[in-house]
Amino acid sequence: MATDKKIQFWKRNAKVPGSLQPVYGAQHPPLDPRIHKTFLKEAPKTNALSIKSKKASSFLEFARSTSDAWDIGDDEEEEFLGGPPPNTPPNLNSKVAVATAAQVIHNYSKVREKPEWPQSTERVQANGSVVKSSSAAQLSQPSDGSSFRKPLHKQQSLPLRPVIPLIARISDQNASGAPPMAVREKTRLEKFRQLLASQNTDLEELRRCSWSGIPREFRPITWRLLSGYLPANMERREIVLKRKRDEYFGFIEQYYDSRNEEHHQDTYRQIHIDIPRTNPLIPLFQQAPVQEVFERILFIWAIRHPASGYVQGINDLVTPFFVVFLSEFVEEDVENFDVTVLPQHVQRNIEADSFWCMSKLLDGIQDNYTFAQPGIQTKVKALEELVSRIDEHVHNHFQKYEVEYLQFAFRWMNNLLMRELPLRCTIRLWDTYQAEAEGFSHFHLYICAAFLIKWRKEILEAVDFQGLLLLLQNLPTIHWGNEEVGLLLAEAYRLKYMFADAPSHYRK
């Protein structure tokens, strides 16, 4: 009888408890503010003004009244590039496109011409053939509107910045377009090679070298070592790896079939719902075999940690490990790689290594995911006190418009900024987290403070509750690369140096 009622409940309620609200940020870009502002100037009679005039008196009212602003489809994007086709009735998005195109051309027509960085988005595959990305192919297609598109093509991104496709590239990226290899980089490569080739790896020296970033080819083994999964002694590594991988698949055989049992159904159902939402813009994570791997990893971790179980947000924490360990066997860009071409034993090793390294990470921040998530509550409060000391103007601005830190920083702590940064930036950031003592739990607080102050100007320009929340939940980091992450890390280190050993300085 109870089962029948439960089934009827699920039929009546289409919205599954615990389902995520749409998330916008580095992986889910919002409407370009330049387009939005231009449109408001050109067409003041639209519904956007009536929406903005309704002041959100509370966060709940704001959440109910906010909908997705990013609804420009592919067809409308083509209208933006080539002008609206004939016999098309006027609509909101076409007006936005025309107004924006005119404004962009007007703004930049008087700017002195400067040498541009190469705009090519070609990549070299393992076989040496050069393949253009889909965005480059679309821009190169001839059409009747090519004369109009040519001046606009020069302004696809900010001046002197390379075009980065909307689907964030996972590979290392220097946002300035600087060559990735230099004399200093070659020296670092040799240093890593010597450290990792020694019979007993000096982990302290490895951490010092890793703080400023780990070369791609040495990142998989370095992450295994720094996470504590792999022993420093070279002779023991193969034995430990075999034992831990066999142990993981022993858990699969022992526990995974229990996902259909009544007391595990809710956990498995939530995992099954969340997996397709993990990095939805990256094709790699939409492959069925990859999603099955993530389901097994998360389910086994959840039933082995009953104090917390599975909590939404943990699914994001698997992705950096999976990508890094996959890159060990993939020379081309990982985001479009078909994992089924890899041998079965390689796929199994990647899965087991991802599970154990994620487990090591979560062991240090598990209070973030226990009942009532006290770890996150504590960190958000510490962030508020820290910001009140380092930038009183920003702190007072939040108080003036009744913005609570928990309303935006909860996700920063729960997902370790993975919803705010492209995955390539997260991987670079985690190089330093692995090198820092308590990087994921303690140093992350200073990263969040530096990240918030990075947007000081934009925050102070927002003059209402709704504008502030939309900004903080949609920070424009889609073009970020290693340079921006490096500056963020430097500022966070400065804050840690000033405040970490004097916690009473948090407070006035």
Side-chain angles (χ1 to χ4, degrees):
M1 187 67 182
T3 305
D4 294 340
K5 289 182 179 180
K6 192 172 183 180
I7 294 174
Q8 292 175 3
F9 171 79
W10 286 109
K11 287 182 179 179
R12 290 197 307 269
N13 294 271
K15 189 173 182 179
V16 179
S19 58
L20 296 174
Q21 293 294 324
V23 175
Y24 314 106
Q27 301 171 11
H28 305 263
L31 187 64
D32 191 326
R34 292 171 294 182
I35 296 178
H36 190 52
K37 289 178 182 177
T38 304
F39 176 68
L40 288 178
K41 292 178 182 178
E42 296 294 329
K45 296 182 180 181
T46 61
N47 294 333
L49 289 178
S50 62
I51 294 174
K52 190 173 182 180
S53 64
K54 298 178 181 178
K55 182 178 180 181
S57 60
S58 69
F59 178 67
L60 292 177
E61 183 179 346
F62 162 74
R64 287 195 300 268
S65 64
T66 303
S67 59
D68 184 10
W70 185 260
D71 54 7
I72 300 179
D74 293 335
D75 295 335
E76 290 157 339
E77 199 170 282
E78 292 176 5
E79 294 175 18
F80 176 79
L81 291 176
N87 303 324
T88 301
N91 55 40
L92 177 64
N93 292 323
S94 64
K95 291 179 180 179
V96 173
V98 173
T100 303
Q103 187 66 28
V104 168
I105 295 172
H106 175 74
N107 288 346
Y108 291 102
S109 60
K110 298 179 181 180
V111 177
R112 180 169 57 88
E113 291 189 1
K114 300 179 180 179
E116 294 188 32
W117 293 100
Q119 300 291 330
S120 173
T121 54
E122 297 176 351
R123 66 176 186 271
V124 181
Q125 291 185 328
N127 58 9
S129 60
V130 178
V131 180
K132 285 190 176 182
S133 67
S134 57
S135 58
Q138 290 176 359
L139 290 172
S140 62
Q141 286 178 355
S143 66
D144 296 335
S146 58
S147 60
F148 173 75
R149 186 184 301 118
K150 185 174 181 180
L152 189 61
H153 173 67
K154 295 175 66 177
Q155 308 299 336
Q156 290 297 322
S157 61
L158 297 177
L160 298 179
R161 295 178 68 88
V163 173
I164 301 177
L166 182 61
I167 297 178
R169 293 175 62 88
I170 296 174
S171 57
D172 293 343
Q173 177 73 39
N174 290 320
S176 67
M181 181 64 73
V183 174
R184 182 184 175 188
E185 184 66 16
K186 291 179 181 178
T187 304
R188 292 185 69 247
L189 282 171
E190 186 58 32
K191 181 67 173 176
F192 271 94
R193 188 174 288 109
Q194 292 175 3
L195 280 170
L196 297 173
S198 62
Q199 192 66 23
N200 287 284
T201 302
D202 185 344
L203 294 181
E204 287 305 313
E205 184 63 25
L206 186 62
R207 286 190 178 93
R208 280 193 290 270
C209 293
S210 301
W211 205 98
S212 56
I214 304 171
R216 184 180 188 270
E217 61 188 279
F218 299 121
R219 185 174 279 137
I221 186 172
T222 303
W223 277 27
R224 292 187 186 102
L225 286 165
L226 295 182
S227 65
Y229 171 50
L230 202 61
N233 184 275
M234 185 177 291
E235 293 180 356
R236 296 181 54 232
R237 289 177 189 171
E238 286 300 323
I239 299 172
V240 171
L241 279 178
K242 185 179 187 309
R243 177 171 59 82
K244 299 297 285 185
R245 289 166 177 171
D246 291 344
E247 186 178 356
Y248 168 72
F249 284 102
F251 295 152
I252 296 291
E253 294 178 7
Q254 184 176 357
Y255 299 119
Y256 193 59
D257 288 341
S258 67
R259 67 189 184 279
N260 297 318
E261 296 176 5
E262 185 174 355
H263 57 289
H264 288 151
Q265 278 184 352
D266 290 343
T267 296
Y268 180 72
R269 180 188 296 114
Q270 193 59 60
I271 292 172
H272 189 72
I273 290 171
D274 289 346
I275 292 301
R277 299 167 174 164
T278 304
N279 296 94
L281 297 180
I282 299 179
L284 171 70
F285 300 113
Q286 302 310 307
Q287 298 177 35
V290 174
Q291 294 184 354
E292 291 170 5
V293 166
F294 280 30
E295 284 184 1
R296 288 193 292 270
I297 290 174
L298 294 172
F299 182 77
I300 296 300
W301 188 89
I303 64 174
R304 293 189 73 246
H305 296 80
S308 61
Y310 172 74
V311 178
Q312 287 178 317
I314 295 179
N315 55 305
D316 287 326
L317 306 184
V318 188
T319 56
F321 292 113
F322 184 83
V323 166
V324 167
F325 297 143
L326 177 63
S327 67
E328 196 171 10
F329 306 95
V330 180
E331 294 184 4
E332 59 193 74
D333 292 336
V334 178
E335 58 263 36
N336 292 306
F337 184 76
D338 182 7
V339 296
T340 59
V341 304
L342 291 174
Q344 190 65 31
H345 74 277
V346 171
Q347 297 182 43
R348 288 167 61 89
N349 291 345
I350 293 172
E351 178 178 346
D353 292 354
S354 299
F355 169 81
W356 287 115
C357 288
M358 185 198 74
S359 298
K360 292 286 187 180
L361 184 161
L362 290 172
D363 286 347
I365 57 172
Q366 192 169 355
D367 61 342
N368 285 7
Y369 306 106
T370 53
F371 179 74
Q373 300 183 270
I376 291 180
Q377 304 279 352
T378 302
K379 290 181 178 70
V380 171
K381 183 62 177 175
L383 176 65
E384 180 177 357
E385 293 172 349
L386 181 57
V387 172
S388 70
R389 294 295 291 152
I390 63 179
D391 198 323
E392 191 174 5
H393 292 295
V394 169
H395 180 71
N396 291 340
H397 195 68
F398 286 153
Q399 289 186 325
K400 178 180 179 181
Y401 295 104
E402 300 180 351
V403 174
E404 299 291 337
Y405 284 76
L406 202 62
Q407 292 165 351
F408 63 88
F410 180 90
R411 191 173 77 188
W412 294 11
M413 303 298 179
N414 190 61
N415 301 85
L416 298 178
L417 286 177
M418 288 194 62
R419 299 287 178 90
E420 277 60 48
L421 297 173
L423 184 54
R424 63 179 178 273
C425 295
T426 297
I427 291 172
R428 167 62 191 91
L429 189 64
W430 283 23
D431 286 347
T432 302
Y433 282 0
Q434 298 271 12
E436 272 280 334
E438 298 181 331
F440 292 98
S441 58
H442 187 59
F443 189 60
H444 181 69
L445 168 67
Y446 299 98
I447 288 290
C448 289
F451 186 66
L452 181 64
I453 301 305
K454 162 75 178 175
W455 310 102
R456 182 182 192 276
K457 179 176 179 291
E458 292 82 355
I459 288 171
L460 295 178
E461 287 176 351
V463 291
D464 58 37
F465 175 86
Q466 183 171 346
L468 280 166
L469 262 293
L470 284 174
L471 169 68
L472 292 167
Q473 293 178 353
N474 301 276
L475 293 168
T477 60
I478 186 64
H479 290 287
W480 273 34
N482 288 348
E483 286 188 6
E484 286 82 357
V485 174
L487 292 172
L488 183 68
L489 287 165
E491 178 62 17
Y493 183 80
R494 185 184 71 85
L495 295 175
K496 180 191 173 188
Y497 185 81
M498 293 173 61
F499 292 97
D501 294 327
S504 61
H505 289 182
Y506 284 157
R507 304 172 182 84
K508 294 182 181 178

